[in-house]
Amino acid sequence: KYVPDLIIKPVRLLGGCVLPLAMLVIGGNLASMNLGKVRRSMVWAVVTKIIIFPLIALAAIWFFKPNFLVSFVIMIEAAMPSAVNLSILSRYFKAPEEIISQGVFYSHVFCVFTVPVFLLVLAKIMGMS
């Protein structure tokens, strides 16, 4: 209402490009990495991100007992996989991008299974089921 259309329209167009650009970045990273060569450091990074962080969040929720909405947001933030922009940052900072790309890929694959489990545990803790 207070922002002119001159600003809103380009922002909407840019927002519409985010998902296709993210898919291009993920596809490019998948094409350039070797999924068969898994390093121990990458395994620990994925386990930490998709299991240990959500367990810490569950412990904090159980201890502090916030309301359900706050608990849900905390759990979603803790259980979600690594961000796609990590691979872009690894290229910029000359970090080992193959390990990071593998971590992003495997964390997304395994979160399909771990996120529902942690949300179910959260519902049990909050007395929702």
Side-chain angles (χ1 to χ4, degrees), residues 19-69:
L19 187 62
L21 286 176
M23 292 297 151
L24 285 173
V25 169
I26 291 171
N29 288 336
L30 283 175
S32 67
M33 76 175 159
N34 182 6
L35 290 176
K37 185 179 177 185
V38 177
R39 295 186 182 176
R40 183 175 290 220
S41 59
M42 188 277 305
V43 171
W44 280 110
V46 170
V47 167
T48 300
K49 177 62 184 133
I50 67 171
I51 295 175
I52 295 174
F53 285 170
L55 287 174
I56 292 170
L58 280 174
I61 290 167
W62 181 76
F63 182 75
F64 291 111
K65 299 186 184 355
N67 66 24
F68 179 73
L69 182 60

Side-chain angles (χ1 to χ4, degrees), residues 54-105:
L55 287 174
I56 292 170
L58 280 174
I61 290 167
W62 181 76
F63 182 75
F64 291 111
K65 299 186 184 355
N67 66 24
F68 179 73
L69 182 60
V70 173
S71 301
F72 183 74
V73 169
I74 291 170
M75 181 64 3
I76 289 292
E77 284 291 323
M80 285 297 117
S82 302
V84 175
N85 62 352
L86 288 177
S87 60
I88 297 169
L89 291 174
S90 70
R91 283 194 183 135
Y92 180 77
F93 289 110
K94 311 275 190 284
E97 59 188 81
E98 184 172 322
I99 295 172
I100 293 172
S101 294
Q102 283 182 350
V104 169
F105 173 73

